[in-house]
Amino acid sequence: MTPPRIDLHTHSRASDGTDSPRGVLEAAAAAGLDVVALTDHDTTAGWAEAAEAVAVTGVALVRGTEISTRVRTEGGSISVHLLSYLHAPDDEVLRAECDRTRTDRLSRARRMTDLLAEDFPVTWDDVVAQTGDGATVGRPHLADALVAAGVVGSRDEAFATVLHPGARYYVPHYAPDTVDAVRAVLGAGGVPVMAHPGAGARGRTVSEATIADLAAAGLAGLEVDHRDHDAEARDRLRGLTAELGLLATGSSDYHGTGKLNRIGENTTAPEVLAQIEERGRLDVIRP
């Protein structure tokens, strides 16, 4: 028998993807996936619609969230994205952190739009027009507004230039400490896995010593197979998971047409998903 194909990192219009939550499951079915995780940024808003699509598409659903966090260092801080799988959506601590992050993302987007408007033909209304119903405005939506205005050719170009953390238009946003976030995920019954830990093109990455500290705090795994990791990074991270006793996952980080990432381009082993489900408070929703 062919082993099930599992993609544990996707986004819908509930955050910064271009597909509806149902559309993500439809895309997964079209790509021949058996299981997909919906992991929108700092929200569970897409879970209900995605769950309704399971029976229709035949694709099982792992409910998750990608949480924005920061590791504080002597040189400032490093952004860390933490994937939380199968946690209780009504947990007060985790929900409060996600709510605070989304609120600050909104005010940060307004500040960045004001800065961009000084040099480019982009207004707040232009940015809002690129945002899905119920989604929190973020940098991807600013990027889409810049594309629509002809300033850049793609989201990737926007992130590499005017929206890059080193650009004068960039404004940071609130994010909880990564160790605190790991503990909050565990407290909510979730399974915390660090997203794209070796994606150096996105900015500074955390050290192996920091990952070891996070593992000691309860981090369950690392997203090893990801488009932003070259072969050397994948080998290094896979060795680190073995050394620290962590799970190794693989995912697409699919955003619809918002990124070049293709759903199902990296996958997770069935035995790894089984361990995630065993540890999580929620069940995988199956057809």
Side-chain angles (χ1 to χ4, degrees):
M1 292 179 61
T2 303
R5 300 188 65 238
I6 303 161
D7 186 342
L8 291 183
H9 187 170
T10 70
H11 297 273
S12 75
R13 285 202 296 263
S15 64
D16 56 344
T18 60
D19 294 349
S20 67
R22 178 189 177 105
V24 170
L25 267 74
E26 291 172 342
L33 288 172
D34 299 285
V35 185
V36 71
L38 182 65
T39 52
D40 284 312
H41 290 281
D42 305 300
T43 186
T44 61
W47 282 13
E49 181 182 329
E52 291 176 355
V54 168
V56 177
T57 60
V59 176
L61 174 66
V62 177
R63 289 163 286 180
T65 300
E66 186 171 11
I67 302 168
S68 305
T69 77
R70 288 192 182 278
V71 168
R72 272 67 186 182
T73 67
E74 291 183 0
S77 65
I78 300 174
S79 176
V80 173
H81 285 185
L82 192 67
L83 294 161
S84 175
Y85 297 117
L86 302 177
H87 62 270
D90 56 354
D91 181 81
E92 292 185 4
V93 174
L94 187 58
R95 185 171 61 183
E97 284 291 3
C98 289
D99 287 348
R100 181 177 178 185
T101 300
R102 288 200 311 274
T103 298
D104 199 61
R105 277 184 186 275
L106 180 61
S107 60
R108 173 254 206 147
R110 282 187 172 273
R111 296 194 300 273
M112 288 186 67
T113 301
D114 289 342
L115 291 171
L116 289 165
E118 295 175 7
D119 296 315
F120 306 109
V122 175
T123 67
W124 180 246
D125 286 343
D126 295 330
V127 174
V128 171
Q130 300 294 330
T131 307
D133 292 341
T136 300
V137 180
R139 276 199 307 160
H141 307 111
L142 272 69
D144 291 344
L146 290 166
V147 172
V151 176
V152 294
S154 66
R155 272 189 185 182
D156 287 344
E157 183 182 348
F159 278 112
T161 56
V162 293
L163 299 183
H164 189 274
R168 83 169 192 89
Y169 310 101
Y170 182 84
V171 175
H173 66 82
Y174 167 78
D177 177 79
T178 306
V179 168
D180 291 342
V182 166
R183 291 172 176 160
V185 169
L186 294 171
V191 183
V193 172
M194 188 186 298
H196 41 71
R202 297 172 179 241
R204 295 171 62 203
T205 58
V206 297
S207 66
E208 294 187 3
T210 296
I211 292 175
D213 290 341
L214 293 171
L219 182 72
L222 300 177
E223 189 177 59
V224 173
D225 293 313
H226 187 281
R227 169 182 285 254
D228 291 349
H229 294 164
D230 59 20
E232 180 181 352
R234 295 185 190 209
D235 288 343
R236 177 177 62 84
L237 291 168
R238 205 174 305 280
L240 193 58
T241 62
E243 177 185 335
L244 297 174
L246 299 175
L247 302 174
T249 68
S251 310
S252 65
D253 200 357
Y254 175 73
H255 284 70
T257 59
K259 286 187 175 181
L260 296 175
N261 307 43
R262 301 183 308 277
I263 196 165
E265 67 181 20
N266 290 294
T267 57
T268 295
E271 57 270 23
V272 171
L273 175 59
Q275 292 185 63
I276 289 173
E277 186 170 18
E278 182 180 353
R279 299 182 193 186
R281 183 166 300 174
L282 303 179
D283 293 330
V284 175
I285 300 177
R286 293 181 168 85

